[in-house]
């Protein structure tokens, strides 16, 4: 279906089901219960899951297929955000032109930066992209203040022209982002017994865009173009002597992944119409590298999983503070309770980076293929078990 | 006039004269071997033919066109395919994917975006790849990961990848180096078969005299960067100058 083979189609269906049912899946605990703080099904966070999913999917097209590790992809994300906000300021609060401009402008940026950076490979390429991103960050932060509004960040204000929309609504407030009148902030709460599920327009817009982005990524992976990108990672020398010029291929991959980043940045601004220079900082570029490696480099679903996991840690795991820990271990005698809380304390709450770092180290060491490899191993082990079952108990297990 | 004409080619690396006054003419549909002791400049000459190195002096004409100043992929598009000393294949890809890449290169040129079509929809190319794999007896390995194959199989795959492009000139850089006797003989058989079946010119650099004398129609002996003699194989065998070059007077 959709021009995909059976395996890819079922993968796509799984992702469709997961994203469409996310408000249920991520809200397993009843509101008001002790576990409710682990619910991730609120619009703001769900939007972040899928937006960073798009960012990571695009990054994986470059890093996963060609092996070129860019340390500056956040620059394209930032450029996308700024473009979108400018569109909201000048044209209208409709997100469609804003997102189109984000993708186009970040594509142009990627073309220029990629053209220069791709003259080198390996670590030198990474350093060049890092340098470009840091330059963009510094420019946005200071010199380009008229365009980026420097430290404060770019925001929509009441006196923006918005030629196709209105500068201010009838009641004198700033209009909200919408898709042909459908407000991004609009949400519907479904109450089922003790549970509350929130369905937000913003989330579903982001989710549909991510599904399209994911589908396009599958098509690229399975196309001759994708094959050439994998060949570049494998052996550039052979590719040269096979009559192919690797440079336009890598540049195209770089621009495509830059446009994905711009799309993510545009969506971010569409959900919350502001853009700041910190979106371009190198830590943001490093984050998408971590997402991709954690989920599984060069796999289709890996980057999305990695993005979800890191954002979950950042937003949910970080909420476990000492009070929460004390309430969990309150059944223990006082001294032991305090001791256990003391031991766990550095790993949770503000220390979530530590836990994530440990998980990252474990994944890289034992599962070089990321979470996807972990899933594959479990699936293989289960299949093996099933095959072994009908055999008589006396047979030795293989190996 | 041969299909490959090398005229007065010279190449220096700093003070070292790697090649000087090399003249070579390879006639169409023959197998021309270039032999010589270590350091004679065989690999340098080959690199000058494929665009990896640019000679300091002289000219290299292929099929009436100069190859000088062209990059390796352009030279390949002119019809020259090269087999390396250690097999250069796409080790991370499957055998079939390895075969598809040269076919796409041949059909689409050096670059085409081609990002929404599916590889598995290219029926005619897949059939062509399968035919070629069948020719080198590797059809049963089509789904195999290229890195997992034996060295002999990697060599066969590399040759299949070159041949599937139907090149006018096939350059072989010590194709049997480091191979066991049986693999060497297999490779010789394969090359003889290729010669008989196809209209193809082969230029081969080789140390193994057994390989050279089984295949070559003509032999050039290179020593210290200059061609010593060029003649038919039977005349090379007992040639005093060749013996001198290999055994050396200086030693």
């Amino acid at each position: 279906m959709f021009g995909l083979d059976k395996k890819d189609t079922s993968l796509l269906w799984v992702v469709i089901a997961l994203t469409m049912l996310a408000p249920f899946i991520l809200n397993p605990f009843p509101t008001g219960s002790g576990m409710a703080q682990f619910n991730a099904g609120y619009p703001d966070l769900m939007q972040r899951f899928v937006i960073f999913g798009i960012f990571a999917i695009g990054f994986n097209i470059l890093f996963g297929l060609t092996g070129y590790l860019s340390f500056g992809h956040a620059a394209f994300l930032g450029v996308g955000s700024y473009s979108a906000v400018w569109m909201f300021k000048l044209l209208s609060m409709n997100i469609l032109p804003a997102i189109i401009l984000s993708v186009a402008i970040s594509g142009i940026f990627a073309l220029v930066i990629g053209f220069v950076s791709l003259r080198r490979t390996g670590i030198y390429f990474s350093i060049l992209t890092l340098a470009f991103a840091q330059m963009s960050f510094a420019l946005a932060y200071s010199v380009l203040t008229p365009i980026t509004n420097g430290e404060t960040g770019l925001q929509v204000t009441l006196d923006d022209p918005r030629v196709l929309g209105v500068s201010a609504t009838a009641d004198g407030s700033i209009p909200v982002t919408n898709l042909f009148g459908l407000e991004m902030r609009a949400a519907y709460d479904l109450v089922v017994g003790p549970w509350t599920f929130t369905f937000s327009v913003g989330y579903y817009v982001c989710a549909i865009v991510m599904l399209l982005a994911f589908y396009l990524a599958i098509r690229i992976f399975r196309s001759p173009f994708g094959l050439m990108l994998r060949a570049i990672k494998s052996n550039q020398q052979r590719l040269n002597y096979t009559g192919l010029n690797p440079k336009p291929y890598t540049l195209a991959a770089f621009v495509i992944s830059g446009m994905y980043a711009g799309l993510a940045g545009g969506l971010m601004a569409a959900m919350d119409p502001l853009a700041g220079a910190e979106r371009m900082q190198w830590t943001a570029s490093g984050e998408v590298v971590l997402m991709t490696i954690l989920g599984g480099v060069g796999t289709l679903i890996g980057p999305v999983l990695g993005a979800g996991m890191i954002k979950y840690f950042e937003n949910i795991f970080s909420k476990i503070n000492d009070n929460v820990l004390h309430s969990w271990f309150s059944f223990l005698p006082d001294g032991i309770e305090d001791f256990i809380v003391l031991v766990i304390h550095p790993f949770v709450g503000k220390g979530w980076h530590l836990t994530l770092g440990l998980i990252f180290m474990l994944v890289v060491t034992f599962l070089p293929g990321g979470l996807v490899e972990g899933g594959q191993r479990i699936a293989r082990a289960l299949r093996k078990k099933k095959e072994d079952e009908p055999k008589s108990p006396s047979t030795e297990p293989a190996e | 006039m041969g299909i490959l004409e090398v005229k007065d080619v010279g190449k220096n690396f700093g003070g070292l004269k790697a090649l000087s006054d090399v003249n070579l003419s390879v006639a169409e549909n023959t197998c021309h071997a270039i032999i010589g002791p270590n350091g004679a400049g065989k690999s340098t000459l080959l690199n000058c033919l494929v665009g990896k190195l640019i000679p300091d002096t002289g000219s290299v004409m292929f099929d009436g066109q100069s190859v000088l100043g062209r990059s390796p992929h352009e030279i390949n598009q002119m019809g020259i395919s090269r087999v390396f000393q250690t097999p250069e294949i796409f080790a991370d890809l499957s055998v079939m994917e390895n075969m598809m890449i040269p076919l796409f290169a041949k059909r689409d040129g050096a670059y085409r975006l081609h990002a929404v079509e599916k590889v598995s929809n290219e029926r005619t190319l897949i059939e062509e790849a399968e035919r070629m794999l069948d020719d080198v007896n590797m059809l049963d390995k089509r789904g195999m990961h290229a890195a997992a194959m034996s060295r002999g199989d990697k060599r066969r795959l590399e040759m299949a990848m070159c041949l599937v492009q139907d090149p006018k000139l096939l350059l072989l850089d010590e194709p049997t180096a480091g191979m066991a006797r049986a693999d060497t003989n297999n490779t010789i058989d394969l090359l003889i078969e290729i010669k008989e079946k196809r209209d193809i010119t082969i230029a081969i650099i080789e140390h193994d005299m057994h390989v050279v004398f089984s295949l070559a129609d003509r032999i050039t002996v290179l020593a210290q960067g200059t061609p010593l003699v060029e003649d038919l194989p039977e005349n090379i065998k007992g040639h005093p100058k060749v013996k001198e070059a290999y055994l050396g007077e200086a030693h």
Side-chain angles (χ1 to χ4, degrees), chain A residues 3 5 219-220 222-225 227-228 230-231 234-235 237-245 248-249 252, chain B residues 52 73 76-77 82 84 88-92 97 102 104-105 110-119 158 165:
Chain A
D5 65 19
R219 291 299 295 258
I220 289 176
R222 301 289 178 244
S223 70
F225 175 67
L227 181 62
M228 296 308 165
R230 285 190 292 146
S234 184
N235 191 341
Q237 165 124 306
R238 178 32 88 196
L239 200 66
N240 264 318
Y241 288 100
T242 305
L244 289 154
N245 187 1
Y249 283 104
Chain B
K52 195 173 185 186
H73 71 262
N76 173 280
Q77 293 282 354
R82 174 185 183 175
F84 286 80
E88 292 278 355
I89 52 170
F90 302 110
D92 302 330
E97 285 169 331
F104 281 124
Y111 172 73
R112 185 168 161 203
L113 186 57
H114 221 308
V116 278
E117 213 48 45
K118 270 173 71 186
V119 176
E158 192 188 23
Q165 289 193 315

Side-chain angles (χ1 to χ4, degrees), chain A residues 180-234:
Chain A
F180 302 110
L182 196 62
E183 287 184 11
M184 290 300 117
R185 275 201 309 217
Y188 167 72
D189 283 343
L190 175 72
V191 182
V192 183
W195 285 277
T196 311
F197 303 108
T198 311
F199 300 91
S200 111
V201 173
Y203 168 71
Y204 278 99
V205 168
C206 292
I208 288 165
V209 174
M210 192 208 75
L211 289 174
L212 292 174
F214 184 66
Y215 172 71
L216 185 66
I218 301 182
R219 291 299 295 258
I220 289 176
F221 267 63
R222 301 289 178 244
S223 70
F225 175 67
L227 181 62
M228 296 308 165
L229 297 183
R230 285 190 292 146
I232 287 171
K233 185 180 187 175
S234 184

Side-chain angles (χ1 to χ4, degrees), chain A residues 121-204:
Chain A
T121 56
I123 187 85
Y124 302 101
F125 167 80
S126 304
I127 296 295
L128 277 173
T129 52
L130 177 62
F132 272 114
Q134 282 303 86
M135 264 156 58
S136 315
F137 166 70
L139 285 176
Y141 203 72
S142 55
V143 186
L144 294 179
T145 302
I147 301 175
T148 61
N149 206 17
E151 283 179 60
T152 333
L154 193 64
Q155 291 167 350
V156 285
T157 56
L158 280 171
D159 49 8
D160 291 329
R162 272 187 279 283
V163 286
L164 290 184
V166 284
S167 292
T169 53
D171 55 359
S173 55
I174 300 171
V176 294
T177 52
N178 61 71
L179 182 66
F180 302 110
L182 196 62
E183 287 184 11
M184 290 300 117
R185 275 201 309 217
Y188 167 72
D189 283 343
L190 175 72
V191 182
V192 183
W195 285 277
T196 311
F197 303 108
T198 311
F199 300 91
S200 111
V201 173
Y203 168 71
Y204 278 99

